[in-house]
Amino acid sequence: QESPRRYTREEVKSHSSPETGVWVTLGCEVFDITEFVDIHPGGASKLMLAAGGPLEPFWALYAVHNQPHVREILAQYKIGELSPDDKAPSILKTSDPYADDPIRHSALKVNTQRPFNAEPPPELLTENYITPNPIFFTRNHLPVPNVDPDTYRLNVVGPPGGQSLCLSLDDLYQFPKHEITVTLQCAGNRRSEMTQFKEVRGLEWSLGAISTARWAGARLCDVLAQAGYQLCETEAHVCFEGLDSDPTGTAYGASIPLARAMDPEAEVLLAYEMNGQPLPRDHGFPVRVVVPGVVGARHVKWLGKVSVEPEESFSHWQRRDYKGFSPSVDWDTVDFDSAPSIQELPIQSAITQPKEGETIGSGEVTVKGYAWSGGGRAVVRVDVSLDGGLTWQVAELEGEEQRARKAWAWRLWHLQAPLPAGIKELNIVCKAVDESYNVQPDTVAPIWNLRGVLNNAWHRVHVHVTP
Ligand code: HEM
Ligand code: MTE
Ligand code: MO
């Protein structure tokens, strides 16, 4: 019997396009699936996500592949095996502060590896109403702390005359468990479109810095009440500190107004579960804050400390970042104290299918996307145009109904429309309306800001139609 041909991971990786041929691995076996791409029952674009690398992380998401007939198809394309000495990427130097970061899903589009910032590709983002944990977007400012759940303590600083709490995980489990579906969006979502208009400083997020999960935990208002806090007339803020810190020992921090924290209807959580699992490390294990309807930056992960202060958090991310400015303000003139910190986010929507530049078939088009608004404002309508905004059609909203004023999670939507014969291209546009009748601006120009936050301009996708 002949010994199998050997390949390195590097060689496999260099075969990740139709031009070079498409190779994938399963275990130590290597497959050339170039011929199969266009006949894959799940579509070519999904399959191409795994091009040049292992299938396992994708098949873990799509269990449909754990069947004998799927393995038989794959077996036909086997060309060899991985070299036995080509081990998985070797362990990093211990001096690297990121050496202990968790292993991530390979479908994520990585913006920066250290710290880790990544988003799911559009074709996976709206596949499910609930985003699977492994592809939930990740926004880290620092290395991921490795927290021992047994020794973990949450320090809740009490009011004068009240009591400070030092809560173990078991202590937190004693509070009534509250579970809600909440969409989290980074203020920088869709920043890359702002950059195209005029340069901004920040991570190049596409449209995937947004995801939805079911979160479960103790309500912050219950924990604060136990520490002896009451709603007070004077302005106050609940400040959060993460257990992640920079080399100077400064922790990630942020704050929200006490009024929101104490309002049971606002449903602010100290979450310890995400989609029925303990929080993954990237998303704040063992405890994070979830502030429904509010910008991602306030959902502090790896929560170490909660305190109530007369002023907002002094953290860089509360005071010197995550604020919006006029298009006229630049880095020479910006006065960060002149603008409020972003809390509730504006109405947002985006198209996840088809993709920019794609060529689609004639006859009919299916457009898919998401829509969400901050502050619990429900999405009442999504309008879609196929001609750059000249004429509009109303999309069909999918999934769970939203509660008025407590619409914490997004709506997915779709539009199926016939295409006129002979049409060569489409300028697809979407815009959503929330229950306060807030709308999205038609272009980036009037909302451009130096940090590239709060982009909710109409989302536009240009596609070609096959004759
Ligand atoms: C469905 C094969 C890679 C996503 C299927 C089915 C087969 C198949 C035979 C139909 C299964 C059935 O209904 O019984 C393969 C092979 C692959 C591959 C041989 C690798 C060479 C992938 C990858 C992804 C993916 C990498 C995702 C990133 C899907 C999806 C479906 C599917 C979403 C379900 C489609 C539907 O139910 O409408 N695949 N697949 N596949 N595949 Fe794959
Ligand atoms: N909490 C800590 N401790 N450290 C962080 O870097 N990033 C914030 C927030 N909480 C961050 C944090 C930002 S800017 C966002 S958008 C969300 O976490 C992202 O949450 P996710 O990574 O679970 O998607
Ligand atoms: Mo963020």
Side-chain angles (χ1 to χ4, degrees):
Q1 194 188 333
E2 266 183 73
S3 62
R5 269 206 67 172
R6 301 287 184 179
Y7 303 97
T8 64
R9 280 181 200 279
E10 229 22 71
E11 271 173 280
V12 176
K13 202 174 166 187
S14 67
H15 292 84
S16 56
S17 70
E19 290 77 42
T20 55
V22 180
W23 294 9
V24 292
T25 64
L26 187 69
C28 63
E29 297 181 305
V30 180
F31 307 89
D32 178 350
I33 55 155
T34 316
E35 306 277 88
F36 179 71
V37 174
D38 285 328
I39 54 169
H40 173 228
S45 68
K46 287 241 161 48
L47 204 163
M48 286 304 288
L49 291 166
L55 287 167
E56 283 90 341
F58 299 92
W59 284 8
L61 272 180
Y62 295 107
V64 67
H65 299 96
N66 299 325
Q67 303 183 70
H69 79 272
V70 177
R71 302 303 160 108
E72 280 162 27
I73 295 171
L74 188 62
Q76 300 167 30
Y77 299 105
K78 181 165 172 177
I79 53 170
E81 294 183 5
L82 286 170
S83 314
D85 49 13
D86 187 26
K87 303 225 173 56
S90 61
I91 300 145
L92 299 155
K93 285 184 246 105
T94 46
S95 60
D96 175 2
Y98 291 94
D100 198 26
D101 266 23
I103 291 168
R104 276 87 181 207
H105 200 281
S106 60
L108 289 168
K109 262 181 56 206
V110 178
N111 278 322
T112 59
Q113 201 57 250
R114 297 148 197 242
F116 188 72
N117 287 291
E119 62 190 296
E123 57 269 51
L124 289 183
L125 181 59
T126 49
E127 193 78 349
N128 295 95
Y129 174 69
I130 298 292
T131 317
N133 289 352
I135 60 162
F136 197 99
F137 91 91
T138 300
R139 199 315 172 215
N140 294 341
H141 292 82
L142 298 161
V144 176
N146 203 340
V147 183
D148 176 355
D150 295 329
T151 57
Y152 171 79
R153 294 293 180 274
L154 174 61
N155 174 12
V156 183
V157 182
Q163 60 167 141
S164 289
L165 307 176
C166 181
L167 303 172
S168 67
L169 272 180
D170 275 335
D171 295 333
L172 265 180
Y173 298 153
Q174 303 311 309
F175 289 89
K177 184 174 174 181
H178 198 74
E179 186 164 12
I180 43 172
T181 308
V182 176
T183 294
L184 221 117
Q185 183 183 219
C186 182
N189 191 29
R190 300 182 58 202
R191 179 180 283 127
S192 57
E193 294 163 59
M194 266 197 186
T195 312
Q196 277 169 24
F197 174 73
K198 188 177 157 193
E199 198 189 327
V200 299
R201 235 180 254 177
L203 294 166
E204 287 279 309
W205 293 113
S206 175
L207 50 79
I210 182 169
S211 298
T212 300
R214 268 190 86 66
W215 307 93
R219 283 194 307 194
L220 177 59
C221 60
D222 293 340
V223 174
L224 289 176
Q226 177 151 331
Y229 285 104
Q230 290 167 344
L231 249 188
C232 55
E233 293 295 304
T234 51
E235 189 186 325
H237 301 265
V238 180
C239 299
F240 307 114
E241 265 180 37
L243 295 168
D244 48 340
S245 57
D246 68 15
T248 72
T250 311
Y252 182 88
S255 62
I256 60 170
L258 178 65
R260 184 182 291 277
M262 293 297 284
D263 179 4
E265 295 292 306
E267 301 185 271
V268 181
L269 293 188
L270 303 182
Y272 44 75
E273 272 179 26
M274 180 177 182
N275 295 330
Q277 303 288 317
L279 295 183
R281 281 185 62 208
D282 262 330
H283 302 291
F285 181 81
V287 177
R288 83 175 302 168
V289 186
V290 171
V291 197
V294 164
V295 66
R298 316 296 166 219
H299 300 228
V300 174
K301 304 192 272 191
W302 314 292
L303 186 64
K305 185 179 168 191
V306 177
S307 62
V308 179
E309 312 284 348
E311 282 197 62
E312 285 188 71
S313 164
F314 281 90
S315 145
H316 170 88
W317 296 279
Q318 190 78 16
R319 303 237 170 181
R320 293 286 169 271
D321 201 354
Y322 296 112
K323 292 186 171 192
F325 294 96
S326 159
S328 64
V329 172
D330 61 30
W331 288 100
D332 295 327
T333 57
V334 65
D335 171 11
F336 270 96
D337 293 326
S338 69
S341 63
I342 302 170
Q343 295 281 336
E344 293 183 0
L345 285 168
I347 177 77
Q348 174 71 287
S349 69
I351 299 160
T352 55
Q353 185 197 314
K355 287 203 294 183
E356 177 60 35
E358 201 176 316
T359 301
I360 63 165
S362 58
E364 183 180 82
V365 63
T366 301
V367 186
K368 286 211 249 179
Y370 62 77
W372 179 77
S373 190
R377 287 177 288 274
V379 172
V380 297
R381 203 181 73 233
V382 174
D383 299 325
V384 176
S385 173
L386 303 178
D387 53 14
L390 291 174
T391 61
W392 298 92
Q393 305 179 54
V394 177
E396 198 166 319
L397 299 178
E398 301 167 6
E400 285 177 32
E401 291 279 328
Q402 292 174 312
R403 297 174 296 175
R405 295 174 308 282
K406 290 175 77 170
W408 309 134
W410 63 13
R411 290 304 293 266
L412 302 182
W413 53 265
H414 69 270
L415 175 86
Q416 211 169 343
L419 295 178
I423 195 157
K424 292 205 182 64
E425 55 174 3
L426 300 177
N427 286 302
I428 310 175
V429 185
C430 79
K431 64 183 179 80
V433 181
D434 73 20
E435 65 179 303
S436 305
Y437 284 100
N438 289 309
V439 296
Q440 301 179 235
D442 55 352
T443 62
V444 160
I447 56 167
W448 182 93
N449 60 87
L450 73 174
R451 197 65 174 85
V453 290
L454 300 168
N455 181 16
N456 69 333
W458 295 0
H459 186 229
R460 295 160 191 271
V461 166
H462 176 255
V463 300
H464 307 274
V465 183
T466 49

